[in-house]
Amino acid sequence: MLPEARTVLHTWCRQTDWRAPTIVGGDGARLLTAEGRAILDMSSLAECSNLGHQHPRVVEAIRTQAARLCFVTSAWGAEPRARLAELLLEKAGFDGGRVFFTLGGADGNEHAVKFARQASGQPRGWVITRDRSYHGASYAAMALSGDTRTATQADPTTYRVIHVPPPYAYRCPFNTATADDCGHAAAARVAATIDERGAGEVAAVLMEPNAGTNGIVAPRTFWPALREATRARRVYLIADEVMSGFGRCGEWFAWQRYGSENRPDLMTLAKGLTGAHAPLGAVLVTADVARVLETQTLMTGLTYSGHPLSCAAGVAAIESYLQENLISRSRTLGAAMYARLRELQARHPLIGDVRGGDGLFAVLELVRDRVSREPLAPWPEMHPGIGRLLQQGMAAGVSFAARGNLILLAPPLVIEERDLGEGLDVLDGLLTELERTLRTEGVG
Ligand SMILES: Cc1ncc(COP(=O)(O)O)c(C=O)c1O
């Protein structure tokens, strides 16, 4: 067999640099490489394997569904699809709402925008999103994203998208004194942008309610203020919960921390929806949006929308979150992980900021100088030392995720406490090593 390095186009890398391990199995928070090594997964791969790897209930559900019925056209009915839609609406508290199934997060966000535009009667209405966000890598999703990696590929204006600055409290674009003020200021900018365009021209605001893959964790003032601003202007609010959903931020969905009055009008899901055991995304719409859409023809379709195998995996995933109390487990372990990271920060001058901790999600922002907050490398560059840290982690049997100057921690919600502690011990050692090399290079 030809090696994969010669036949496959891999994501987010120069093909000639691709050196990733081949994974042949998994169990809980560990992955098994083709060489027979076990790797502790401290990022749930792409922050998606919330249930760990090869979760037995989900694997069994896929097997059972495959034996019964693999596929039915999305235009006809499928039992696991109906069941999953019912469960999702219940968990979200979207009584009387509806679900549209997609294949992942990017097409989920594209469809959420499509539905918001249709329901608002503005087929080309503006959509407001923010810088330092990630909503996917298809064309419209790139335009929606505020992501430096894809910014040159899609012109937001062509897609009727406006970007605003993010609630990035550590380096607040609004120069506020506190994180709470930064959250308020970011929401106020959205309100001002709607007012500038005219509320009748803006179909929706699409944002990550809490955590995002670009390392922003919104202060707790942000989402309620954003909800208030959009409601007052009768503009639909779409929550991108692709990463933050399914316990990642300590709730079924991150916005739920702020109570039902802060419910979005639409919500997109993927990743934890099946714990990445099968590809699946979803758009949930509230009863109010559903009522408008129900009497109109939906001009959209995806051959694999609500694929029975994926929906069966989704139903089993939700049963697993419930039966294993994984949402509250994420809250408890997330608080412990955050406390440990703050303790690391006290000892490692390299750690400028620690954010997250509402569930098993946290971001470390690495700096050259903690007082001036000078970044280790200008965003979005990654300092070679961080690349080395990732490699040394793998050599020690632990996989970490990083973006630019950020280390993203998002272990599976099933991780054993002992394993979490071991992963953080390894990180502690790697940071000490990195600080030592930076000192010899004259940094910090
Ligand atoms: C917040 C968010 N939205 C959307 C996406 C895109 O999802 P997908 O890769 O399934 O298209 C991601 C993926 O990382 C994400 O983190």
Side-chain angles (χ1 to χ4, degrees), residues 33-87:
T33 72
E35 291 83 42
R37 295 184 64 224
I39 304 282
L40 179 62
D41 179 3
M42 288 292 283
S43 71
S44 301
L45 291 176
E47 297 91 27
C48 56
S49 299
N50 295 15
L51 295 166
H53 305 288
Q54 298 296 107
H55 191 289
R57 186 182 290 105
V58 185
V59 172
E60 188 50 38
I62 296 172
R63 204 195 311 272
T64 306
Q65 184 61 40
R68 188 178 299 145
L69 176 75
C70 285
F71 178 69
V72 63
T73 166
S74 55
W76 294 1
E79 286 170 357
R81 189 192 297 146
R83 178 72 187 129
L84 182 57
E86 182 184 10
L87 282 171

Side-chain angles (χ1 to χ4, degrees), residues 330-349:
S330 175
R331 257 199 307 272
T332 314
L333 288 187
M337 179 171 86
Y338 183 77
R340 179 77 202 282
L341 293 172
R342 290 301 297 256
E343 185 261 311
L344 292 191
Q345 184 185 29
R347 284 190 287 108
H348 293 286

Side-chain angles (χ1 to χ4, degrees), residues 19-27 30-41 45 53 393-399:
R19 307 254 182 297
T22 294
I23 301 300
V24 293
D27 182 15
R30 285 201 160 72
L31 290 159
L32 185 67
T33 72
E35 291 83 42
R37 295 184 64 224
I39 304 282
L40 179 62
D41 179 3
L45 291 176
H53 305 288
M394 284 299 269
V398 186
S399 156

